[in-house]
Amino acid sequence: MRHKDAEQPLKAWFKEAEKACWQSPDILKRRYPSASILNHNRVVFNTKGNKYRLSTMINFDYGQVFIRFVGTHAEYDTIDATTI
């Protein structure tokens, strides 16, 4: 992993996401108030004390989470999170 310090926070998020039942953006926001809900079912989470961003696409109907991007804020600024 290029950013070794992000590994443990991402593993913790992944473990929680595996068990989660996010049926809507509102339910997700109750657990992660700082998450950004974007167009096209994209959700961006801040991890490691807001040092990294985790961009996902979530199918709320089927409970599927697709990780689209992980990187620093500076790296995140180079992508379009609504289309990646």
Side-chain angles (χ1 to χ4, degrees), residues 2 13-14 18 22 26-27 30 33-35 44 49 51-52 61-64 73 75 81-82 84:
R2 188 171 69 192
W13 177 89
F14 185 82
E18 279 186 309
W22 299 320
D26 292 335
I27 292 170
R30 282 187 220 135
S34 66
V44 179
K51 184 175 178 183
Y52 292 93
D61 293 333
Y62 293 101
Q64 297 172 316
H73 279 250
E75 292 167 334
T82 63
I84 194 167

Side-chain angles (χ1 to χ4, degrees), residues 25-26 28-29 32 34-39 41-44 60:
D26 292 335
L28 184 142
K29 286 289 277 185
Y32 291 99
S34 66
S36 299
I37 308 296
L38 308 177
N39 291 336
N41 293 324
R42 300 311 206 265
V43 180
V44 179
F60 291 101

Side-chain angles (χ1 to χ4, degrees), residues 3-56:
H3 301 287
K4 191 71 172 164
D5 60 332
E7 185 175 351
Q8 288 308 316
L10 289 170
K11 284 181 176 181
W13 177 89
F14 185 82
K15 186 176 181 179
E16 186 171 334
E18 279 186 309
K19 298 175 185 174
C21 185
W22 299 320
Q23 297 171 334
S24 73
D26 292 335
I27 292 170
L28 184 142
K29 286 289 277 185
R30 282 187 220 135
R31 172 61 184 103
Y32 291 99
S34 66
S36 299
I37 308 296
L38 308 177
N39 291 336
H40 309 293
N41 293 324
R42 300 311 206 265
V43 180
V44 179
F45 298 89
N46 293 309
T47 61
K48 178 110 174 75
N50 209 22
K51 184 175 178 183
Y52 292 93
R53 291 210 172 155
L54 168 65
S55 181
T56 64

